[in-house]
Amino acid sequence: MSDDEVDHELLDLLRKSLGLGPPDPSAPPETKVLQNAEFIYDNSIDVALDMRHTKVAAIDILKQMQEREYSTKAWSEHTLHPKAKDESTVNFIFTMDLLNFSFWSEKEEGDRFAVKYGEEEKRWTGYWSLVAALQRALDEDIPITTPGFWVDEEECSEEVLRKVFRSETEEEIPLFEERVRCLREAGQILEEEFDSSVVTLIEDAKNSAAGLVNLLAERFPCFRDEATFERKKVRLLKRAQIFVADLWAAFEGEGYGEFNDIDKITMFADYRVPQILHTLGCISYSPPLEKRIRNYGIIEPGHSWELQIRGCSIWAIELLRREILKLQPDAKVNAILLDFFLYDFAKEKEKNGEEAIPHHRTRSIWY
């Protein structure tokens, strides 16, 4: 090779090292959520993480998870979650996570959207109100978890959907119209691209958790949880990731829940985990942001404050995971189990009346 000839192989290597050029089609899928969360953390001025408290929290969380023998089994042990290890559970989980957003209310506890369901007609609120509504609909022979049903606007009319999501109070389920749109849109995409089958969608990901998350984000606009932070596109992908995580937990890592890269899933950036992270001292807010949260002020979707809370929460859980593995390298823990545990832990503290900062208030279909 003469001095003035171009070494194309070296040029290709240089481009790849700089992240230039087309992606390598043989490379394993990456969601980029964790990398984007680290970018948000590195550029946050209103949300900070405290490593001293994170180290202390890691000790306590590891101890509690070991004492409770916390594992994927905890998912199916929840009363309302489906127990069958079959396609009906796959469809239930997809429907649940398609609609798994925005349950907070400005009303008092007794007046907020609620669903009565079960032998004792227990009153369910928050996320559990959605799960209860789906179970109630199935008991009433409404095929609410069947994708083909969603696109049939005669059978699956607005009147039928209002019956599915009817409340025991005057308040209807938040963002009802957006939930209807998500069902219609997802049903149509499944029909056109995946033979109306969620199982086909899962199979197309070839046992890759990151691949399935990317597939959901690419093909389904209502799963495309992305925003712009400091002029950079960032991916948070809460509901796409929690669908994969729920599959993994429900099927205990086997069958439809078998993924060869499950640890690429991060925590699911929403309301409750940032709240408990604040209680544990792992996360703190600037005075203006903390004032907004404590005064129950609305933070608009895509606002820098909202993205800092969500991105820093993802990174905080990653740091917690790393600290736990320093304490016990063989600990069976990942971001999914930490998220599930901390969500349950936050609900326990709330039930016991323990004081906590309010969760931030953003009305959005993303979480």
Side-chain angles (χ1 to χ4, degrees):
M1 179 185 293
S2 66
D3 290 343
D4 58 352
E5 286 183 356
V6 175
D7 186 336
H8 290 286
E9 188 175 342
L10 183 61
L11 191 58
D12 284 343
L13 285 171
L14 180 60
R15 281 174 174 159
K16 285 178 182 176
S17 70
L18 295 173
L20 303 174
D24 181 357
S26 63
E30 299 292 341
T31 69
K32 298 186 179 177
V33 173
L34 189 61
Q35 297 95 313
N36 291 170
E38 184 178 17
F39 171 79
I40 292 172
Y41 165 70
D42 286 341
N43 292 278
S44 287
I45 57 173
D46 292 288
V47 180
L49 304 184
D50 186 312
M51 280 310 300
R52 185 172 62 88
H53 280 94
T54 298
K55 290 175 185 291
V56 172
I59 296 168
D60 186 43
I61 290 167
L62 176 60
K63 179 172 178 287
Q64 290 199 50
M65 290 181 82
Q66 288 175 331
E67 287 175 355
R68 302 182 191 202
E69 297 182 349
Y70 201 84
S71 70
T72 54
K73 292 184 186 298
W75 194 95
S76 294
E77 287 169 358
H78 284 292
T79 306
L80 292 178
H81 279 159
K83 309 295 184 281
K85 302 287 194 276
D86 59 21
E87 188 173 352
S88 70
T89 291
V90 171
N91 288 340
F92 190 99
I93 292 172
F94 185 84
T95 310
M96 182 177 77
D97 289 327
L98 182 63
L99 304 175
N100 185 359
F101 55 82
S102 199
F103 301 106
W104 61 270
S105 173
E106 295 182 4
K107 296 183 180 293
E108 296 294 326
E109 183 63 27
D111 298 324
R112 64 181 297 189
F113 172 75
V115 171
K116 277 189 181 177
Y117 177 73
E119 291 181 6
E120 299 176 3
E121 288 210 315
K122 184 173 177 179
R123 187 175 181 276
W124 303 94
T125 59
Y127 160 75
W128 294 111
S129 66
L130 169 66
V131 188
L134 297 179
Q135 294 286 18
R136 180 179 64 186
L138 293 175
D139 287 355
E140 294 171 350
D141 295 322
I142 300 172
I144 189 59
T145 59
T146 303
F149 177 66
W150 308 335
V151 294
D152 186 339
E153 295 194 31
E154 288 188 15
E155 291 293 319
C156 183
S157 63
E158 181 177 317
E159 183 182 359
V160 168
L161 290 172
R162 287 196 180 279
K163 179 183 178 183
V164 169
F165 299 113
R166 66 189 183 274
S167 177
E168 293 300 313
T169 69
E170 293 293 319
E171 184 178 41
E172 71 170 20
I173 190 168
L175 301 181
F176 173 78
E177 289 78 12
E178 285 80 356
R179 293 178 203 276
V180 174
R181 180 174 55 79
C182 285
L183 285 170
R184 305 273 194 236
E185 177 189 272
Q188 184 174 356
I189 294 166
L190 285 169
E191 182 178 70
E192 293 174 355
E193 301 188 34
F194 302 99
D195 299 322
S196 289
S197 170
V198 180
V199 167
T200 299
L201 167 70
I202 294 167
E203 289 173 345
D204 279 6
K206 298 179 174 58
N207 297 109
S208 170
L212 183 51
V213 168
N214 288 342
L215 197 56
L216 286 165
E218 289 161 9
R219 303 292 181 84
F220 297 82
C222 60
F223 277 109
R224 200 172 298 143
D225 179 10
E226 300 172 342
T228 300
F229 180 75
E230 296 294 319
R231 294 178 292 182
K232 176 183 172 70
K233 186 179 86 169
V234 291
R235 309 180 94 205
L236 299 159
L237 303 180
K238 184 257 184 175
R239 290 190 295 107
Q241 289 202 110
I242 204 170
F243 171 61
V244 175
D246 283 345
L247 280 177
W248 176 69
F251 290 91
E252 297 183 48
E254 298 178 353
Y256 298 122
E258 181 182 351
F259 298 102
N260 54 36
D261 57 352
I262 194 64
D263 289 346
K264 287 184 178 179
I265 302 301
T266 71
M267 67 79 79
F268 322 115
D270 62 1
Y271 312 99
R272 288 298 183 186
V273 174
Q275 186 184 35
I276 191 68
L277 286 171
H278 186 276
T279 298
L280 294 170
C282 301
I283 200 168
S284 61
Y285 303 129
S286 67
L289 174 53
E290 181 155 341
K291 182 179 179 182
R292 176 74 63 88
I293 293 171
R294 289 193 181 277
N295 290 339
Y296 302 99
I298 300 296
I299 301 175
E300 293 300 320
H303 189 287
S304 176
W305 282 352
E306 185 223 14
L307 297 175
Q308 288 180 62
I309 293 170
R310 298 183 75 200
C312 288
S313 297
I314 294 171
W315 192 244
I317 295 298
E318 172 63 14
L319 296 179
L320 262 176
R321 185 190 69 82
R322 294 178 185 182
E323 289 301 319
I324 288 172
L325 290 176
K326 285 180 188 175
L327 295 167
Q328 186 176 323
D330 63 344
K332 295 188 184 304
V333 65
N334 59 18
I336 297 171
L337 288 174
L338 283 171
D339 184 290
F340 285 171
F341 175 80
L342 288 171
Y343 179 89
D344 291 342
F345 191 43
K347 297 299 284 185
E348 284 176 23
K349 285 185 169 293
E350 183 181 61
K351 189 176 179 181
N352 294 335
E354 295 183 40
E355 190 173 340
I357 192 171
H359 64 73
H360 72 283
R361 296 191 171 207
T362 299
R363 189 67 79 190
S364 162
I365 72 164
W366 305 123
Y367 62 104

